[in-house]
Amino acid sequence: MIERGIHFYSDGYRLEGTLYFPDDLREGEKRPAVLPLSGYQGFNQFYPRLFAEYLTKSGFVCLGFDYRGFARSEGPPDRVVLDEQVEDAKNAVTFLRLQKEVDPERIGILGWGMGASHAIRVAARDTRIQAVAALNGFYNGKRWLKSIHSYVEWNRLIQEVERDRASRVNRGRSTPVDPFIHYPLDPDTEDVVRKELKPLPFFGKRITLQFTESILEMDAEKEAKNIAPRPLFIAHGKRNMLHPPEEAQSLYEAAKEPKELYWIDGKHNDFMHRGDPVFEDLMERLTGFFGRNLQGFGQAERPPLLNSGA
């Protein structure tokens, strides 16, 4: 995989990222491209780069970037608002289409975790995207938040959001809090985060409570029908305790054909490692999906998936 550092602008903020190219890309050639979006508290150098390792081996150009305020991208470091990250992703699509190595008519988008709802919303509003994959996400923010909090916790959360909205009006500032105060991790996901994400230099910064309000207002599921007739691939861990499997099932039922629902034999991110057989199978299905819909070959003609650990 060939890498090239890049930057582009979103609402005036300079966002840092990387273009990932297949090793066999020839001068003057244009390839289909996929934009892999990171999840909550994620970075380009983590899951987007991991997806790119596999997708470039199957002939795709990829673009990974850090949302505003994350890593080295410009923007308020404690502000996470879902609508603003959707705008960052839409601007990334524009940037990707402008690259000389990319066929602008063959662009796909892939969202992981919280980024899955971003992928749905961007594609539903932007017909430049020709294929969509949503992995291990949640698609109605209010429903998801309510499902993972007790009755008492839920009412406390709503009161905190209301007080914070009043504070923003009166003082012009949302309250900074622990990033997981309203996004509680299940034990298995917390173990992965502790081992793999917490050591990263940009992980775990405090965020403002406006983030919770932006989740409550997010309803990607309502927009899913607007993706058709472009294809949608939904994948979700059978035993995902962070984002319940019901989220994927509900999104699938709300979307129109063509659509595909694949149940991953795992949890949330326990399988997200090079060489893990569950991850290898997921990537084979993903490269097949994007291959059929962006490269124009059928299942039987799909090029072999190469092990990114080789």
Side-chain angles (χ1 to χ4, degrees), residues 238-259:
K238 294 178 182 177
R239 300 179 294 281
N240 193 330
M241 297 298 292
L242 181 64
H243 301 155
E246 290 79 7
E247 286 293 320
Q249 185 66 49
S250 187
L251 176 69
Y252 179 78
E253 292 171 0
K256 295 182 178 180
E257 297 286 354
K259 58 185 179 179

Side-chain angles (χ1 to χ4, degrees), residues 210-226:
Q210 192 172 358
F211 168 61
T212 301
E213 184 172 1
S214 76
I215 292 179
L216 289 168
E217 294 173 347
M218 185 275 289
D219 191 354
E221 184 177 296
K222 184 173 67 175
E223 299 188 55
K225 64 181 183 297
N226 297 328

